[in-house]
């Protein structure tokens, strides 16, 4: 795969299109969410906080057997913590984008869109934190190691931008997959969660698209050694950050009283949850193949990490039963 003047022009046109979409189709955390509408009020005994069946924990027998008040309490805590993890990841992402943009030369086609993305991610952190504050539960977010490493991770974005944008996808693809699944299922949930998901999915589509475009455009510039290193690093980054985003930390498990066998069932030991894990990365498997990052060694690694499977035929292809 080589970069020609035609592919470079197409890449620059795509980035221009994404930038123009960010100008004309964007959301504001405090203008586009009716925080003070009485229908959106947050009340401790509101059954709309019960986790929907589309949520993997909400679909367990353990959760469904809890008394209603406990289901509501667990639902509020879990959804607040998911928002907090997303907020922490996006804070790392914003800082990384700024470190990356700091090194871009004048005339770089990536500068404008990457800063549009940082602007949108700032609005996401605002809406996530606002809902966490209104729910009023002191949730920790991600595991302790991630919170401690958070200030250091953006430093890699400048010298190692290719690996940084692999990490961007590793955090964005799982949450995007989960939120789309809940929205497509038409799950009954608190309207603030629904509205935030709608906004997040709409704008993350552009962010994920940019990361795919950037990696595909930059892959031909990798040396043979760099290509092999990234073929190994990519599945590891995907699996590690997937667990940060999707799996409750040990602290959260303890505070919610989730039994260890339920944790194993949901993340990722039974057949349904194992399929969900594989389905999250169909687009990334396709991208890795397109970039020449799939080889005999890396394929074994994708399999050992349990995120192998058929690559998507096109980006955002809905998961099929055969995947």
């Amino acid at each position: 795969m080589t970069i020609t003047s035609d592919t470079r022009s197409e890449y620059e046109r795509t980035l221009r299109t994404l930038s123009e979409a960010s100008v004309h189709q964007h959301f504001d955390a405090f203008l586009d969410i009716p925080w003070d509408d009485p229908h959106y009020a947050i009340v401790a005994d509101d059954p709309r906080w019960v986790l929907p069946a589309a949520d993997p924990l909400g679909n367990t027998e353990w959760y469904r057997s809890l008394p209603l008040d406990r289901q509501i309490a667990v639902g509020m805590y879990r959804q607040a913590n998911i928002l907090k993890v997303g907020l922490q990841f996006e804070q790392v992402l914003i800082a990384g984008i700024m470190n990356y943009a700091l090194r871009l030369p004048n005339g770089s086609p990536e500068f404008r869109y990457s800063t549009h993305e940082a602007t949108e991610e700032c609005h996401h952190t605002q809406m996530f934190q606002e809902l966490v504050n209104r729910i009023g539960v002191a949730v920790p977010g991600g595991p302790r190691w991630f919170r401690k490493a958070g200030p250091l991770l953006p430093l890699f974005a400048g010298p190692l931008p290719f690996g940084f944008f692999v990490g961007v996808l590793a955090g964005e693809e799982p949450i995007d997959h989960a939120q789309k699944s809940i929205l497509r299922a038409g799950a009954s949930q608190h309207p603030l969660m629904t509205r935030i998901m709608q906004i997040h999915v709409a704008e993350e589509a552009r962010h994920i698209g940019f990361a795919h475009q950037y990696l595909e455009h930059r892959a031909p510039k990798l040396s043979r050694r760099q290509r092999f290193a990234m073929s190994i690093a990519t599945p590891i980054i995907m699996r590690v950050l997937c667990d940060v985003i999707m799996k409750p930390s040990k602290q959260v498990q303890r505070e919610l009283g989730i039994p260890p066998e339920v944790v194993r069932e949901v993340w990722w030991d039974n057949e349904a949850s194992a399929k969900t894990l594989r389905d999250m990365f169909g687009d990334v498997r396709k991208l890795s193949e397109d970039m020449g990052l799939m080889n005999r060694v890396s394929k074994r690694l994708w399999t050992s990490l349990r995120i192998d499977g058929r690559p998507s035929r096109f980006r955002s292809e809905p998961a099929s039963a055969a995947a």
Side-chain angles (χ1 to χ4, degrees), residues 2 27 82 139 165 178 214 235 252 294:
T2 58
F27 298 90
I82 290 171
V139 291
F165 280 103
Y214 176 87
V252 172
M294 283 291 191

Side-chain angles (χ1 to χ4, degrees), residues 132-274:
V132 170
N133 293 346
R134 287 175 179 244
I135 290 173
V137 183
V139 291
R144 184 173 300 170
W145 74 262
F146 180 74
R147 302 198 306 270
K148 287 185 175 295
L152 302 176
L153 295 175
L155 301 178
F156 293 97
L160 299 170
F162 194 92
F164 169 72
F165 280 103
V166 168
V168 168
L169 283 182
E172 290 181 334
E173 292 277 10
I175 192 66
D176 185 66
H177 179 92
Q179 290 182 338
K180 282 179 179 175
S181 297
I182 291 172
L183 292 174
R184 284 169 178 161
S188 174
Q189 59 178 352
H190 195 281
L192 279 174
M193 284 299 301
T194 299
R195 184 61 181 145
I196 284 175
M197 284 186 182
Q198 290 168 340
I199 291 173
H200 194 245
V201 165
E203 294 192 327
E204 287 300 307
R206 289 197 293 265
H207 304 172
I208 291 171
F210 172 60
H212 276 256
Q213 290 291 323
Y214 176 87
L215 292 171
E216 197 163 3
H217 182 69
R218 296 292 168 176
K221 297 183 178 181
L222 298 177
S223 67
R224 182 176 296 182
R225 181 175 296 179
Q226 289 171 329
R227 191 181 303 277
F228 181 75
M230 287 311 306
S231 76
I232 301 302
T234 296
I236 296 172
I237 294 170
M238 291 296 150
R239 181 57 197 272
V240 169
L241 286 182
C242 173
D243 279 358
V244 168
I245 298 293
M246 302 301 296
K247 183 177 179 180
S249 67
K250 295 289 187 183
Q251 178 184 348
V252 172
Q253 293 171 32
R254 288 193 302 270
E255 293 190 9
L256 291 183
I258 309 174
E261 62 272 16
V262 174
V263 173
R264 289 192 296 271
E265 173 190 347
V266 175
W267 300 281
W268 309 93
D269 276 3
N270 71 15
E271 186 176 342
S273 64

Side-chain angles (χ1 to χ4, degrees), residues 72-128:
I72 293 170
V74 170
M76 293 180 78
Y77 187 111
R78 171 162 166 75
Q79 292 180 77
N81 197 68
I82 290 171
L83 293 168
K84 189 69 176 182
V85 177
L87 183 158
Q88 291 163 345
F89 173 79
E90 294 196 340
Q91 287 174 314
V92 171
L93 190 158
I94 294 162
I97 285 177
M98 292 296 98
N99 277 334
Y100 164 71
L102 188 64
R103 298 186 179 216
L104 293 175
N106 294 335
S108 168
E110 292 88 5
F111 182 87
R112 179 181 171 185
Y113 184 72
S114 63
T115 51
H116 276 307
E117 178 170 339
T119 301
E120 291 169 355
E121 297 292 19
C122 283
H123 285 296
H124 296 176
T125 63
Q126 289 173 331
M127 68 182 183
F128 289 173

